[in-house]
Amino acid sequence: VVIGHNRNVAWGFTNSFADCQDLVIEEFDSPAAQRYRTERGFEPTRMLREIIHVRDASDAIEEVVVTRHGPVVHRLEDPTQNTWRGLSLQWTALTPGGALESMLRMQRATDWNSFRDALAPLDAPSQNAVYADSEGHIGYALCGRVPVRRRQPSGLPVAGWSGDALWQRFLAPTELPAVLDPPDGLLVTANNR
């Protein structure tokens, strides 16, 4: 159960829209994109072969280039400049995490503290979690893996070879906003007006 309740607590989620992804400009040493530029020089990319089965047609095969920032979602060649670039997607949801563990722990939560503990492994997507219990308490907690960046976010892709696109760390669950029993007795979170 993703949104639901047990005997003691009930919970719901809305999308937090936390900024958990970046587009990173990559520079490759050739059109084959077997190596990409970093602040320490060129390093090898990983190549993944994805086979997509299509009903009543031949399988589609996609060669995915992966850098330290994530999969390359677009490549662009400029033969006149002898440069080969691309955009990689750095996203918290691309790293395996603990969402399933979190869901199972929520099923067993008995109070606010055990509910907050249950949210800790929930990594992606980042969510607004609302809480109510059989004792009449209500609460809110932001959960998910939220990156701390080396640079001030601009909303624009950043050069991957400078090292500025790397994330320093993720906010700890104790650093994310949370409140139990707000003084006005009101909590609101929604993805619509």
Side-chain angles (χ1 to χ4, degrees):
V1 176
V2 176
I3 296 174
H5 65 89
N6 62 30
R7 286 184 166 190
N8 302 299
V9 303
W11 60 92
F13 291 107
T14 58
N15 192 321
S16 72
F17 294 101
D19 189 4
C20 297
Q21 60 181 301
D22 294 326
L23 286 174
V24 179
I25 304 167
E26 305 287 8
E27 186 173 279
F28 304 105
D29 66 345
S30 70
Q34 293 177 328
R35 296 184 335 137
Y36 67 102
R37 190 170 145 203
T38 74
E39 65 277 12
R40 296 178 305 279
F42 282 88
E43 294 187 10
T45 57
R46 284 188 305 131
M47 302 297 262
L48 301 176
R49 186 172 204 197
E50 300 284 343
I51 300 173
I52 303 164
H53 302 291
V54 180
R55 185 188 326 186
D56 300 328
S58 299
D59 290 347
I61 297 174
E62 185 72 25
E63 300 288 338
V64 181
V65 176
V66 181
T67 72
R68 65 183 175 178
H69 302 112
V72 176
V73 295
H74 181 73
R75 290 197 311 196
L76 177 69
E77 292 182 35
D78 185 352
T80 62
Q81 299 293 317
N82 257 355
T83 59
W84 299 273
R85 293 203 169 158
L87 289 175
S88 62
L89 176 63
Q90 184 169 234
W91 183 22
T92 56
L94 295 175
T95 304
L100 179 60
E101 176 189 352
S102 183
M103 295 297 140
L104 292 171
R105 288 170 62 179
M106 276 189 279
Q107 309 298 317
R108 296 178 181 101
T110 58
D111 58 16
W112 174 247
N113 290 332
S114 60
F115 179 75
R116 289 289 310 279
D117 289 344
L119 290 178
L122 184 58
D123 45 12
S126 178
Q127 297 288 297
N128 295 305
V130 289
Y131 164 93
D133 66 29
S134 57
E135 301 293 320
H137 300 288
I138 61 170
Y140 162 83
L142 177 71
C143 58
R145 195 182 294 149
V146 179
V148 175
R149 293 168 171 83
R150 292 183 179 194
R151 57 165 173 74
Q152 186 69 25
S154 68
L156 298 173
V158 66
W161 55 86
S162 69
D164 288 343
L166 294 172
W167 294 335
Q168 292 180 308
R169 65 184 184 90
F170 299 106
L171 293 176
T174 56
E175 295 177 278
L176 298 173
V179 63
L180 177 67
D181 295 331
D184 61 3
L186 182 65
L187 291 168
V188 177
T189 175
N191 291 145
N192 297 304
R193 287 181 177 228

mmCIF file of all heavy atoms in Angstrom, residues 138-154:
data_model
loop_
_atom_site.group_PDB
_atom_site.id
_atom_site.type_symbol
_atom_site.label_atom_id
_atom_site.label_comp_id
_atom_site.label_asym_id
_atom_site.label_seq_id
_atom_site.Cartn_x
_atom_site.Cartn_y
_atom_site.Cartn_z
ATOM 1 N N ILE A 138 -1.595 14.999 13.882
ATOM 2 C CA ILE A 138 -1.379 15.144 12.443
ATOM 3 C C ILE A 138 0.055 15.615 12.232
ATOM 4 O O ILE A 138 0.663 16.247 13.114
ATOM 5 C CB ILE A 138 -2.376 16.124 11.789
ATOM 6 C CG1 ILE A 138 -2.231 17.539 12.386
ATOM 7 C CG2 ILE A 138 -3.794 15.604 11.890
ATOM 8 C CD1 ILE A 138 -3.029 18.603 11.616
ATOM 9 N N GLY A 139 0.609 15.297 11.063
ATOM 10 C CA GLY A 139 1.975 15.694 10.790
ATOM 11 C C GLY A 139 2.264 15.792 9.307
ATOM 12 O O GLY A 139 1.499 15.315 8.461
ATOM 13 N N TYR A 140 3.375 16.434 9.013
ATOM 14 C CA TYR A 140 3.879 16.593 7.650
ATOM 15 C C TYR A 140 5.370 16.319 7.670
ATOM 16 O O TYR A 140 6.080 16.737 8.595
ATOM 17 C CB TYR A 140 3.641 18.015 7.123
ATOM 18 C CG TYR A 140 4.516 18.318 5.921
ATOM 19 C CD1 TYR A 140 4.131 17.926 4.651
ATOM 20 C CD2 TYR A 140 5.744 18.949 6.077
ATOM 21 C CE1 TYR A 140 4.950 18.166 3.556
ATOM 22 C CE2 TYR A 140 6.570 19.188 4.991
ATOM 23 C CZ TYR A 140 6.175 18.796 3.739
ATOM 24 O OH TYR A 140 6.985 19.016 2.663
ATOM 25 N N ALA A 141 5.880 15.639 6.634
ATOM 26 C CA ALA A 141 7.324 15.448 6.492
ATOM 27 C C ALA A 141 7.676 15.377 5.016
ATOM 28 O O ALA A 141 6.993 14.708 4.235
ATOM 29 C CB ALA A 141 7.765 14.166 7.187
ATOM 30 N N LEU A 142 8.717 16.091 4.638
ATOM 31 C CA LEU A 142 9.276 15.948 3.302
ATOM 32 C C LEU A 142 10.186 14.729 3.343
ATOM 33 O O LEU A 142 10.956 14.558 4.294
ATOM 34 C CB LEU A 142 10.077 17.198 2.917
ATOM 35 C CG LEU A 142 10.768 17.139 1.554
ATOM 36 C CD1 LEU A 142 9.739 17.208 0.436
ATOM 37 C CD2 LEU A 142 11.771 18.254 1.414
ATOM 38 N N CYS A 143 10.095 13.885 2.339
ATOM 39 C CA CYS A 143 10.977 12.720 2.299
ATOM 40 C C CYS A 143 11.556 12.580 0.900
ATOM 41 O O CYS A 143 11.045 13.136 -0.062
ATOM 42 C CB CYS A 143 10.228 11.458 2.723
ATOM 43 S SG CYS A 143 8.780 11.079 1.716
ATOM 44 N N GLY A 144 12.633 11.851 0.819
ATOM 45 C CA GLY A 144 13.282 11.608 -0.466
ATOM 46 C C GLY A 144 14.724 12.059 -0.443
ATOM 47 O O GLY A 144 15.182 12.741 0.474
ATOM 48 N N ARG A 145 15.432 11.654 -1.471
ATOM 49 C CA ARG A 145 16.850 11.986 -1.619
ATOM 50 C C ARG A 145 16.943 13.349 -2.302
ATOM 51 O O ARG A 145 16.628 13.483 -3.483
ATOM 52 C CB ARG A 145 17.512 10.896 -2.471
ATOM 53 C CG ARG A 145 19.012 10.905 -2.424
ATOM 54 C CD ARG A 145 19.613 9.832 -3.323
ATOM 55 N NE ARG A 145 19.291 8.499 -2.860
ATOM 56 C CZ ARG A 145 19.144 7.455 -3.665
ATOM 57 N NH1 ARG A 145 19.250 7.591 -4.965
ATOM 58 N NH2 ARG A 145 18.864 6.269 -3.184
ATOM 59 N N VAL A 146 17.376 14.365 -1.551
ATOM 60 C CA VAL A 146 17.480 15.731 -2.079
ATOM 61 C C VAL A 146 18.964 16.103 -2.116
ATOM 62 O O VAL A 146 19.621 16.134 -1.077
ATOM 63 C CB VAL A 146 16.687 16.738 -1.217
ATOM 64 C CG1 VAL A 146 16.828 18.144 -1.776
ATOM 65 C CG2 VAL A 146 15.215 16.329 -1.147
ATOM 66 N N PRO A 147 19.498 16.379 -3.309
ATOM 67 C CA PRO A 147 20.937 16.636 -3.418
ATOM 68 C C PRO A 147 21.348 18.024 -2.923
ATOM 69 O O PRO A 147 20.592 18.986 -3.038
ATOM 70 C CB PRO A 147 21.206 16.499 -4.911
ATOM 71 C CG PRO A 147 19.911 16.816 -5.576
ATOM 72 C CD PRO A 147 18.837 16.391 -4.614
ATOM 73 N N VAL A 148 22.561 18.076 -2.391
ATOM 74 C CA VAL A 148 23.225 19.338 -2.075
ATOM 75 C C VAL A 148 24.268 19.517 -3.175
ATOM 76 O O VAL A 148 25.136 18.663 -3.365
ATOM 77 C CB VAL A 148 23.895 19.299 -0.688
ATOM 78 C CG1 VAL A 148 24.686 20.575 -0.436
ATOM 79 C CG2 VAL A 148 22.857 19.069 0.397
ATOM 80 N N ARG A 149 24.154 20.611 -3.906
ATOM 81 C CA ARG A 149 25.020 20.835 -5.062
ATOM 82 C C ARG A 149 26.275 21.630 -4.695
ATOM 83 O O ARG A 149 26.269 22.397 -3.743
ATOM 84 C CB ARG A 149 24.235 21.558 -6.149
ATOM 85 C CG ARG A 149 23.125 20.678 -6.718
ATOM 86 C CD ARG A 149 22.161 21.483 -7.569
ATOM 87 N NE ARG A 149 21.225 20.630 -8.274
ATOM 88 C CZ ARG A 149 20.105 20.162 -7.722
ATOM 89 N NH1 ARG A 149 19.776 20.467 -6.482
ATOM 90 N NH2 ARG A 149 19.299 19.376 -8.419
ATOM 91 N N ARG A 150 27.284 21.475 -5.510
ATOM 92 C CA ARG A 150 28.534 22.234 -5.328
ATOM 93 C C ARG A 150 28.370 23.677 -5.783
ATOM 94 O O ARG A 150 29.122 24.544 -5.402
ATOM 95 C CB ARG A 150 29.661 21.601 -6.147
ATOM 96 C CG ARG A 150 30.079 20.261 -5.642
ATOM 97 C CD ARG A 150 31.236 19.727 -6.451
ATOM 98 N NE ARG A 150 31.634 18.436 -5.906
ATOM 99 C CZ ARG A 150 32.751 17.841 -6.194
ATOM 100 N NH1 ARG A 150 33.600 18.384 -7.030
ATOM 101 N NH2 ARG A 150 33.040 16.680 -5.654
ATOM 102 N N ARG A 151 27.384 23.904 -6.636
ATOM 103 C CA ARG A 151 27.168 25.232 -7.210
ATOM 104 C C ARG A 151 25.727 25.654 -6.975
ATOM 105 O O ARG A 151 24.865 24.830 -6.703
ATOM 106 C CB ARG A 151 27.451 25.195 -8.714
ATOM 107 C CG ARG A 151 26.569 24.137 -9.370
ATOM 108 C CD ARG A 151 26.454 24.200 -10.842
ATOM 109 N NE ARG A 151 25.730 23.055 -11.351
ATOM 110 C CZ ARG A 151 24.423 22.871 -11.253
ATOM 111 N NH1 ARG A 151 23.667 23.737 -10.651
ATOM 112 N NH2 ARG A 151 23.840 21.801 -11.755
ATOM 113 N N GLN A 152 25.476 26.917 -7.105
ATOM 114 C CA GLN A 152 24.110 27.440 -6.990
ATOM 115 C C GLN A 152 23.312 26.985 -8.201
ATOM 116 O O GLN A 152 23.737 27.200 -9.335
ATOM 117 C CB GLN A 152 24.162 28.972 -6.929
ATOM 118 C CG GLN A 152 22.838 29.633 -6.679
ATOM 119 C CD GLN A 152 22.323 29.386 -5.268
ATOM 120 O OE1 GLN A 152 23.078 29.143 -4.365
ATOM 121 N NE2 GLN A 152 21.019 29.436 -5.119
ATOM 122 N N PRO A 153 22.166 26.329 -8.008
ATOM 123 C CA PRO A 153 21.378 25.881 -9.174
ATOM 124 C C PRO A 153 20.916 27.060 -10.023
ATOM 125 O O PRO A 153 20.488 28.079 -9.497
ATOM 126 C CB PRO A 153 20.180 25.170 -8.549
ATOM 127 C CG PRO A 153 20.557 24.891 -7.139
ATOM 128 C CD PRO A 153 21.546 25.943 -6.751
ATOM 129 N N SER A 154 21.033 26.905 -11.354
ATOM 130 C CA SER A 154 20.609 27.964 -12.262
ATOM 131 C C SER A 154 19.441 27.527 -13.133
ATOM 132 O O SER A 154 18.842 28.354 -13.807
ATOM 133 C CB SER A 154 21.776 28.369 -13.163
ATOM 134 O OG SER A 154 22.088 27.303 -14.052
#
